[in-house]
Amino acid sequence: MDNLKQSSNPETEELTGAEIFTRCLVEEGATTVFGYPGGAVLHIYDELHKQKEVDHILVRHEQGAAHAAEGFAKSTGKVGVVLVTSGPGATNAVTGIADAYMDSVPLVVFTGQVRTALIGNDAFQEVDTVGITRPCVKHNILVKKVEDLPLAIKRAFHIAGTGRPGPVVVDIPKDVTEQSMVFSYPQDPDMRSYQPTIDGHAGQIKRAAKLIAKAERPIIYSGGGVISSNAHEELTEFTRLTGFPITNTLMGLGAYPGTDPQFIQMLGMHGSYEANMAMHHSDVLIAVGARFDDRITGRLDGFCPYAKVIHIDVDPSSISKNFRAHVPVVGDARKVLRALTDELRDGKYTIPDVSAWWGQIGEWAKKDSFAYQQDMDGEIKPQYVLDQLYKQTDGDAFVTSDVGQHQMWVAQLYKFTQPRRWINSGGLGTMGFGLPAAMGVQLAHPDAQVCCVTGEASIQMCIQELSTCRQYGLPIKIINLNNRYMGMVRQWQDFFYDSRYAMSYMDALPDFVKLAESYGHVGMKIEKPKDVEPALREILSLKDRLVFADFVTDPRENVFPMIAPGAAHNEMILS
Amino acid sequence: MRRILAVLLENEAGSLSRVANLFSARGINIESLAVTPTPDETLSRMTIVTFGDDRVLEQITKQLHKLVDVVTVVDMTGQNHVEREMALIKLRLRDEGCVDDLQRVNKVYRGRIADVSALCYTSEVVGTSEEIDAYLAAMAEHEVVEVVRSGPLGIARGEQMLSIRQNE
């Protein structure tokens, strides 16, 4: 508490906890809050009502608030802010908090709590929020008195946004918001136990450079950490300097231009043949801000059997967790890539000639593993819709997605050339993410083209947010690839359960056109391949309206290529 | 392999459950855990005994570090350290020979009688976990009705100390 006294903002007037709350948000520059009111946070809502600096976006379900804040955070790099009430408000937000934890999204989630005197009494709308969220937050804090509130908020923003980002929950009992004190905002989070390592170890960077200089079959494998640390320019410079092939994870797409010839597409379970084969045969693997997730590695004992691994990550626990790193470099991706590039330019090293390796990769790439056939007289192929979406948006839209086949097809076919344009739920795989995330993106970028690619199953998990979109006039373009199945579940049932479609069909679907219209939006249904192109042109031209475009697609289409669970990179199913 | 970890962490509500949660979430058992505040009351010190290979230990150490409340983590397994555990052991007396045995075993293991009643003796013994195991084995033929063990405490030998700045 010492540094409270040294704060630069001395005042003598006493403020309530609720007033202090809004003042702290302003101090943090957190002027967009996604939330939903309730008993425990009414003092705070009353304060929000009285002021103009903080905008509050009213969602229709607290899960939507958390995902919207994620969309806001992922597309801007700022910390997303959520405000919900105690009990069900908090538990509804948990899915979004867990999603943010898995994908390292900086969020501060404020949850109301019952009065301190009632805590532990099974009071109305009481849950142990700190206990429930503990396994899926970077940190959480129960504020027991108003004097602790400013520092708790300062720390929450600091922890959420630095190191490996993540969600922080601040649980505020109602009486704390009515107690008062002389407010000053601490300048320093003052934490002896939290000091992320930012600069890479110079000796490790030299070891990495030596290994790179001796590589014959190198590959760069980069993930979401590059985007979190805004290291895309450094990654591009490093990749171009070395001339090495680069593949991105699902979360890393856009960190390196998807249209560049050195980019050999996404890797992993539904990654390209060339990316996975190059991983398998590589002798030096340069992993940057990626965590060797099971959807990337496949069977671990068959993963990259010939490679020496350089692993750059700000989170030491990501290194050698799943796969042993030979040269671990703990640090911020941006700083480490800058230092590694400078080291390689120093003249002590020769960048290896990898033209033979490129020749081999070129052979693999001939498989054209993301190819599909659109019969213009047949059913609409989902890939065709996304191909057209890519072309008509010049690859420049913000695209959010839900989870399943459509998500993989966007990742394969939409060539992102900038970071923070591809917003999806990778780690937790949360159906229902896409629409609320798109709201956060659109609010952060009011004039941008924001598309939510979804399916008829996913969209129904947070469809209530169509109402929020109406209230705030968010002109999101919903591209619903409607195949009447939970497509990815159906695909696994085809492959691994002899096509017994246990509960994977979508019966009793709503008329999405009428549904969209009932919320005050534009609805469209597209059933023929020849209509896809003109329909998309019309959809994208409706600048001020949300359009729900229901594309009736081929129900039998599967995502290829695929590495079956338990298989290795060189054991892909191609069709 | 048996491992012993020393952890310094912020003495705050919830710190202990964060640590316990971490082990259970990662599917690793805690064999024993002893925790109390240090002379600097803002900090608590834990001694954790667990089992795992080098990979598991590396991961658990890193994950402990990652907890915002954790200040210092040291794996004492490979270091020269002193380890002590305390046990309270309650025996039901069957005959006079019982007491003779108890006193003989107490002498060997530096145990002492902490409580006596008409039917039961409670003895306390301090030593390494192996010594306490051996004590219990030596008393096996008697009717041991209750055993409570603290789990080991550990401290480095010599001038080495666990400090806030250990991991910087």
Side-chain angles (χ1 to χ4, degrees):
Chain A
M1 287 296 121
D2 277 353
N3 73 69
L4 272 180
K5 292 172 197 144
Q6 301 157 8
S7 167
S8 62
N9 195 6
E11 284 187 32
T12 49
E13 175 199 8
E14 290 212 338
L15 301 182
T16 66
E19 290 171 305
I20 288 168
F21 175 87
T22 54
R23 293 281 292 270
C24 291
L25 290 190
V26 173
E27 290 275 353
E28 288 294 336
T31 49
T32 304
V33 176
F34 299 90
Y36 202 102
V41 286
L42 281 180
H43 292 312
I44 292 176
Y45 270 87
D46 194 45
E47 278 312 313
L48 286 172
H49 186 75
K50 290 179 196 161
Q51 56 79 54
K52 292 212 154 37
E53 285 170 288
V54 178
D55 285 330
H56 179 277
I57 307 300
L58 176 68
V59 296
R60 297 300 183 269
H61 184 289
E62 290 87 348
Q63 183 186 351
H67 292 325
E70 284 187 274
F72 182 91
K74 284 187 180 203
S75 67
T76 60
K78 295 181 190 163
V79 175
V81 184
V82 177
L83 171 62
V84 297
T85 193
S86 64
T91 56
N92 279 345
V94 167
T95 300
I97 295 168
D99 191 274
Y101 185 61
M102 289 290 269
D103 285 346
S104 308
V105 185
L107 290 191
V108 174
V109 180
F110 295 100
T111 54
Q113 183 54 276
V114 301
R115 292 173 180 280
T116 48
L118 290 175
I119 288 177
N121 284 14
D122 302 325
F124 177 66
Q125 293 195 329
E126 179 185 3
V127 291
D128 175 9
T129 303
V130 163
I132 285 174
T133 58
R134 189 173 292 128
C136 59
V137 292
K138 186 169 173 186
H139 194 55
N140 59 20
I141 307 162
L142 169 64
V143 182
K144 288 185 180 151
K145 53 185 194 297
V146 71
E147 289 77 16
D148 295 345
L149 187 60
L151 187 59
I153 295 176
K154 179 78 193 173
R155 284 180 173 173
F157 277 89
H158 177 66
I159 294 167
T162 54
R164 179 178 177 177
V168 178
V169 168
V170 183
D171 199 24
I172 309 176
K174 188 168 187 181
D175 52 326
V176 170
T177 63
E178 62 198 16
Q179 294 163 4
S180 57
M181 64 178 273
V182 175
F183 171 67
S184 64
Y185 198 58
Q187 298 303 302
D188 180 358
D190 185 28
M191 299 189 72
R192 59 184 168 187
S193 60
Y194 175 76
Q195 274 136 8
T197 305
I198 300 302
D199 293 314
H201 188 278
Q204 291 299 86
I205 288 166
K206 282 199 170 64
R207 286 180 62 203
K210 271 184 204 152
L211 198 54
I212 288 167
K214 283 189 295 191
E216 291 174 11
R217 301 183 309 279
I219 183 165
I220 301 163
Y221 145 55
S222 86
V226 172
I227 294 172
S228 295
S229 77
N230 296 313
H232 51 282
E233 283 172 12
E234 285 74 8
L235 176 72
T236 304
E237 193 180 335
F238 171 75
T239 306
R240 297 222 165 113
L241 171 71
T242 56
F244 293 172
I246 178 167
T247 178
N248 287 166
T249 68
L250 179 68
M251 302 314 290
L253 294 171
Y256 189 83
T259 48
D260 188 273
Q262 272 174 261
F263 184 63
I264 61 170
Q265 316 301 325
M266 179 174 76
L267 80 163
M269 184 172 270
H270 295 294
S272 75
Y273 184 71
E274 59 270 31
N276 287 333
M277 289 300 276
M279 288 289 285
H280 187 81
H281 292 277
S282 66
D283 68 342
V284 172
L285 174 60
I286 305 154
V288 192
R291 59 187 179 88
F292 295 78
D293 167 85
D294 57 281
R295 289 298 196 259
I296 291 298
T297 63
R299 195 179 73 242
L300 273 169
D301 62 15
F303 176 72
C304 293
Y306 316 109
K308 290 260 190 276
V309 176
I310 298 164
H311 192 175
I312 299 164
D313 207 294
V314 75
D315 175 8
S317 75
S318 281
I319 298 177
S320 297
K321 178 176 69 181
N322 298 335
F323 197 70
R324 174 61 58 190
H326 300 83
V327 183
V329 189
V330 177
D332 176 63
R334 187 174 184 179
K335 294 257 189 175
V336 175
L337 283 171
R338 162 70 34 231
L340 188 54
T341 304
D342 290 348
E343 179 72 18
L344 285 168
R345 282 216 177 101
D346 198 32
K348 290 187 295 237
Y349 309 92
T350 314
I351 304 291
D353 173 13
V354 291
S355 50
W357 177 227
W358 270 113
Q360 173 65 69
I361 291 169
E363 287 302 312
W364 288 323
K366 284 182 188 161
K367 293 268 187 199
D368 195 10
S369 54
F370 298 160
Y372 66 94
Q373 294 292 324
Q374 175 65 66
D375 171 1
M376 292 312 275
D377 296 318
E379 294 184 271
I380 299 173
K381 292 288 184 187
Q383 300 97 317
Y384 178 65
V385 179
L386 299 176
D387 225 356
Q388 285 298 321
L389 180 71
Y390 170 64
K391 289 188 178 116
Q392 292 198 26
T393 54
D394 300 321
D396 199 32
F398 286 86
V399 182
T400 74
S401 89
D402 273 301
V403 171
Q405 289 184 319
H406 65 269
Q407 177 188 26
M408 292 299 113
W409 282 317
V410 180
Q412 291 180 343
L413 298 168
Y414 202 101
K415 312 293 180 205
F416 292 93
T417 53
Q418 295 175 71
R420 302 193 182 280
R421 292 292 168 110
W422 166 229
I423 313 290
N424 79 128
S425 165
L428 196 66
T430 311
M431 291 169 70
F433 174 87
L435 177 57
M439 301 188 319
V441 176
Q442 189 79 75
L443 281 156
H445 307 273
D447 301 323
Q449 187 76 266
V450 180
C451 301
C452 166
V453 177
T454 182
E456 81 292 343
S458 281
I459 191 69
Q460 292 190 84
M461 286 213 185
C462 273
I463 201 157
Q464 75 286 347
E465 300 305 332
L466 283 173
S467 177
T468 310
C469 294
R470 175 66 180 161
Q471 182 173 348
Y472 297 96
L474 304 177
I476 296 161
K477 306 298 179 270
I478 298 175
I479 310 298
N480 187 40
L481 300 177
N482 184 344
N483 64 357
R484 284 82 68 208
Y485 281 100
M486 294 161 210
M488 191 59 91
V489 173
R490 202 263 304 126
Q491 175 166 345
W492 281 52
Q493 288 169 337
D494 269 339
F495 288 8
F496 311 120
Y497 298 91
D498 293 328
S499 299
R500 290 185 299 278
Y501 299 149
M503 292 294 137
S504 58
Y505 61 93
M506 294 302 292
D507 209 351
L509 283 170
D511 179 334
F512 286 112
V513 174
K514 283 188 187 155
L515 183 71
E517 286 169 357
S518 79
Y519 278 107
H521 301 305
V522 178
M524 282 187 201
K525 189 170 189 174
I526 303 96
E527 296 177 274
K528 294 195 174 70
K530 66 175 175 46
D531 295 335
V532 169
E533 198 181 336
L536 273 171
R537 198 168 298 121
E538 188 186 346
I539 292 159
L540 295 169
S541 70
L542 290 169
K543 294 288 176 205
D544 303 325
R545 301 295 301 276
L546 183 148
V547 183
F548 193 118
D550 188 24
F551 289 89
V552 179
T553 62
D554 183 349
R556 286 168 300 275
E557 191 64 21
N558 285 331
V559 183
F560 291 111
M562 179 174 185
I563 301 172
H569 278 178
N570 60 338
E571 301 164 346
M572 299 195 81
I573 309 166
L574 287 171
S575 59
Chain B
M1 180 185 171
R2 179 180 181 274
R3 310 284 180 152
I4 182 161
L5 300 174
V7 180
L8 278 183
L9 70 170
E10 299 290 347
N11 181 14
E12 277 169 16
S15 295
L16 170 62
S17 36
R18 283 184 217 282
V19 171
N21 226 115
L22 188 159
F23 278 79
S24 68
R26 306 259 161 200
I28 301 161
N29 284 334
I30 296 177
E31 176 78 5
S32 75
L33 186 154
V35 52
T36 48
T38 65
D40 170 356
E41 284 178 7
T42 65
L43 289 170
S44 289
R45 178 167 176 151
M46 279 183 180
T47 308
I48 304 172
V49 175
T50 183
F51 288 87
D53 59 20
D54 287 345
R55 234 190 95 236
V56 168
L57 243 285
E58 179 182 334
Q59 186 55 210
I60 208 78
T61 308
K62 285 173 169 177
Q63 293 290 347
L64 281 168
H65 265 300
K66 203 166 140 180
L67 293 178
V68 168
D69 288 337
V70 168
V71 183
T72 308
V73 182
V74 172
D75 179 4
M76 294 200 294
T77 317
Q79 298 184 3
N80 204 0
H81 68 277
V82 181
E83 233 181 276
R84 291 292 180 271
E85 182 173 359
M86 179 181 172
L88 297 170
I89 297 150
K90 189 172 286 191
L91 291 172
R92 185 165 290 144
L93 296 176
R94 281 190 304 235
D95 51 52
E96 281 305 305
C98 248
V99 179
D100 291 346
D101 269 4
L102 181 61
Q103 283 173 338
R104 187 171 45 79
V105 173
N106 272 354
K107 200 166 180 187
V108 174
Y109 291 98
R110 299 180 308 278
R112 65 180 204 95
I113 293 166
D115 182 60
V116 184
S117 73
L119 294 174
C120 288
Y121 270 52
T122 297
S123 66
E124 65 173 62
V125 58
V126 174
T128 63
S129 301
E130 292 77 9
E131 284 170 329
I132 292 171
D133 291 344
Y135 182 100
L136 287 166
M139 297 305 293
E141 62 193 69
H142 298 289
E143 197 179 344
V144 175
V145 291
E146 197 174 347
V147 178
V148 53
R149 299 173 65 153
S150 64
L153 304 175
I155 195 165
R157 287 191 186 275
E159 278 78 54
Q160 268 206 336
M161 272 160 277
L162 191 63
S163 78
I164 295 177
R165 271 167 281 282
Q166 198 101 20
N167 297 113
E168 282 176 11

